[in-house]
Amino acid sequence: MQRCMQVKFSRIAWTRDGLGFFYSRFPAPRDGEAVDSGIKTDVNLNHEVYYHFLGTDQSQDVLCWRDPDHPKYIYIPEVTEDGKYVILSVSETSDPVNKLYYCDLSALAHGLEGLKGTHGVLPFVKLVDRFEAHYGLIANDGTEFTFLTNKDAPRYKLSRVDVDEPGSWADVLPEDEKAVLESACAVHGDKLLVNYLSDVKYVLQMRSLVTGELLRDIPIDIGTVNGISGRRVDSEVFVEFASFLTPGIIYRCDVSTEVPEMNVYREISVPGFDRNEFEAKQVFYPSKDGTKIPMFIVSKKNLDLNGSHPALLFGYGGFGMSVTPQFSVARVVLMRNLGFVACVANIRGGGEYGEGWHRSGSLANKQNCFDDFAAAGEFLVAAGYTSPARLCIEGGSNGGLLVAACLNQRPDLFGCALAHVGVMDMLRFHKFTIGRAWTCDFGCSENEEEFHWLIKYSPLHNVRRPWEEAGDDPRRGRQYPPTMLLTADHDDRVVPSHTLKFLATMQHVLRAGAEGSPQTNPIIARIERKSGHGCGRSTQRIIDEAADRYAFAAKMMGVSWID
């Protein structure tokens, strides 16, 4: 099998004839340039779109789009179900905004074959040429296209436009008053299966593609709809579902019936797991400013709230990403055999309540994320689930930043910390690989106002000696909790230098073992080799890492195995 080189931030978009697919990549190294080990720190620039014909070498791929005047643009191609159009989503940052181009493939005189050996690009038409909102393709009927968009709708809606009349935008399904419209899938002619997120719980509905009218609700358990797969020419739809206590189910639904039923098509079975031993519930707790924050708590049934249980608190809080119920074998092992309580805090910065929730935890408001996470810990202690000595916090990427910032701000509140591939240097993150795309959520230190936001919480620049800053606050008069920082030597998204610099700074500032330093808790790193940003690992290596980090947490918090 041929390996496609330089492919990153791409979708595989097959043409309906099955002869090949569109994809995106960065330019190949110039002649004479050495191909390095795969460890990358250079800024990612000059994304391009190509078409690959099956059975040919990648060197023969057809260049379909490039824009050297905008080297920071990222392109994601998609082919419409009727095969007539290729849609190009154009983004520059991680913000939920994009430009929208389209090309009528049926209008190419000699098809894509005619582009072979030429230096031209496809004649894309710019339908939306401003970064004003997000647009995601749902369906088309000829030149009429339906898009999922947050244009004047922070909780998203469906809008339709005739591309022959670019000013003809009209709403099909308006924004809901509370729930976030997560996705929509056009099926069985003119029907829509829409997926809402309401208080971090999914709601499925069948609606009319033509009018947006509600046809019927489709009941589903509390959990996460991970995907909906269906076509307009078919009457059956497949829905992928999971929850904290459901490893994974694919439902088959015949939407041609008057009352569609969700029937189990495939189900994952985990030997030895009995969901009836556990319970999952949702609570709402107040953050520092009084905002109510939702949190899921999963544990064994009939838990005695005496403050003795070890707890694992997970959070993310960034880029409008919603953290919804998912199954985790590792979490089940911790709950069943070590008595852990597993908690997921849906802090601000995520997308659980739309763009307003996202914006209230980004840029100048980023401190809200850390306050929300600390408040989650305080709630778990006050409610009797755990104690500070037995509360472990965990997060990855932006969640690694979350864990590290909270470590600096509240070392008294946690008994252990696990920070995966975190963004630790908030003053220089934009200088490496795709870090420049995160300034929409964080800001940029090259802007004076934004520098002052970042310097206040940047993990690398805020490591303190809490015992020297205690004053009259008894919470501050202690050391940092045991901490494991995890990274990988080939992470080309959050480059490993973030973790390595933070590790060195913590060890230097805390002076573990030095005279006058009470720091005895270990500060260590686990560095995966030949691996990336949580990717590129075998199942065995994933198991090994989980065993290492949770064995560390359990040992540091004095948790023993339960027979």
Side-chain angles (χ1 to χ4, degrees), residues 44-120:
N44 298 143
L45 297 173
N46 297 305
H47 214 217
E48 300 169 336
V49 179
Y50 282 81
Y51 186 82
H52 176 76
F53 290 93
L54 291 185
T56 65
D57 189 83
Q58 188 184 9
S59 62
Q60 300 176 44
D61 290 355
V62 174
L63 175 64
C64 297
W65 185 256
R66 65 187 304 185
D67 186 353
D69 291 334
H70 298 95
K72 296 181 180 179
Y73 282 6
I74 298 292
Y75 306 104
I76 303 294
E78 184 173 3
V79 177
T80 56
E81 187 175 326
D82 62 10
K84 187 176 180 181
Y85 296 92
V86 57
I87 306 294
L88 205 58
S89 173
V90 185
S91 60
E92 187 172 22
T93 70
S94 299
D95 242 357
V97 298
N98 62 306
K99 296 183 179 184
L100 207 59
Y101 306 163
Y102 72 92
C103 175
D104 185 348
L105 297 175
S106 66
L108 300 178
H110 303 288
L112 290 166
E113 287 274 356
L115 294 178
K116 285 185 174 180
T118 71
H119 296 287

Side-chain angles (χ1 to χ4, degrees), residues 1 34 37 39 49 70 82 133 161 182 221 244 287 445 534 541 543:
M1 179 180 291
S37 65
I39 298 174
V49 179
H70 298 95
D82 62 10
V161 64
E182 286 275 293
D221 291 340
F244 291 119
S287 187
S445 61
R541 291 173 73 179
I543 293 172

Side-chain angles (χ1 to χ4, degrees), residues 114-190:
L115 294 178
K116 285 185 174 180
T118 71
H119 296 287
V121 294
L122 288 180
F124 279 99
V125 178
K126 298 180 179 182
L127 177 63
V128 177
D129 198 26
R130 291 187 297 173
F131 290 121
E132 59 179 6
H134 169 79
Y135 299 88
L137 175 66
I138 302 300
N140 77 295
D141 287 284
T143 59
E144 282 196 344
F145 285 76
T146 302
F147 292 97
L148 174 71
T149 180
N150 59 6
K151 171 69 172 171
D152 301 321
R155 289 179 297 279
Y156 289 82
K157 63 183 179 181
L158 296 183
S159 294
R160 183 169 296 140
V161 64
D162 188 325
V163 295
D164 286 343
E165 300 178 36
S168 63
W169 288 91
D171 290 349
V172 179
L173 178 57
E175 177 187 28
D176 189 83
E177 292 182 359
K178 182 179 179 182
V180 180
L181 181 57
E182 286 275 293
S183 65
C185 182
V187 298
H188 195 224
D190 292 332

Side-chain angles (χ1 to χ4, degrees), residues 234-430:
D234 296 329
S235 62
E236 63 179 10
V237 181
F238 294 92
V239 178
E240 183 183 354
F241 175 85
S243 73
F244 291 119
L245 302 177
T246 305
I249 297 176
I250 296 177
Y251 290 105
R252 179 187 179 275
C253 183
D254 185 349
V255 296
S256 66
T257 61
E258 185 174 348
V259 182
E261 293 185 357
M262 302 278 279
N263 299 306
V264 175
Y265 180 73
R266 293 283 189 274
E267 183 171 5
I268 296 173
S269 176
V270 177
F273 170 67
D274 181 0
R275 63 175 295 158
N276 294 314
E277 296 179 16
F278 307 94
E279 62 180 357
K281 62 182 179 181
Q282 187 182 45
V283 299
F284 291 82
Y285 65 89
S287 187
K288 183 177 181 180
D289 62 0
T291 301
K292 292 294 184 180
I293 311 296
M295 176 166 58
F296 289 104
I297 301 176
V298 191
S299 68
K300 284 186 174 181
K301 287 184 175 178
N302 303 317
L303 197 71
D304 185 8
L305 299 182
N306 59 13
S308 67
H309 310 287
L312 181 67
L313 174 61
F314 178 86
Y316 186 78
F319 300 96
M321 301 294 293
S322 301
V323 182
T324 57
Q326 298 288 352
F327 186 80
S328 165
V329 171
R331 190 159 49 212
V332 168
V333 170
L334 292 175
M335 291 189 296
R336 187 175 66 179
N337 299 314
L338 294 172
F340 268 76
V341 178
C343 312
V344 177
N346 298 109
I347 63 178
R348 282 173 284 187
E352 288 85 351
Y353 293 97
E355 267 302 286
W357 195 252
H358 171 210
R359 294 302 176 194
S360 64
S362 65
L363 298 174
N365 299 317
K366 189 65 178 175
Q367 181 60 40
N368 285 336
C369 301
F370 316 133
D371 291 342
D372 292 355
F373 201 55
E378 291 172 334
F379 171 86
L380 293 170
V381 172
Y385 285 99
T386 190
S387 63
R390 286 200 152 192
L391 175 58
C392 178
I393 52 174
E394 182 172 24
S397 198
N398 174 77
L401 158 64
L402 171 71
V403 167
C406 287
L407 266 183
N408 286 335
Q409 295 180 15
R410 291 296 307 276
D412 59 290
L413 185 57
F414 314 112
C416 188
L418 305 171
H420 303 244
V421 293
V423 186
M424 306 303 193
D425 183 353
M426 302 310 298
L427 303 187
R428 289 175 54 81
F429 69 85
H430 60 288

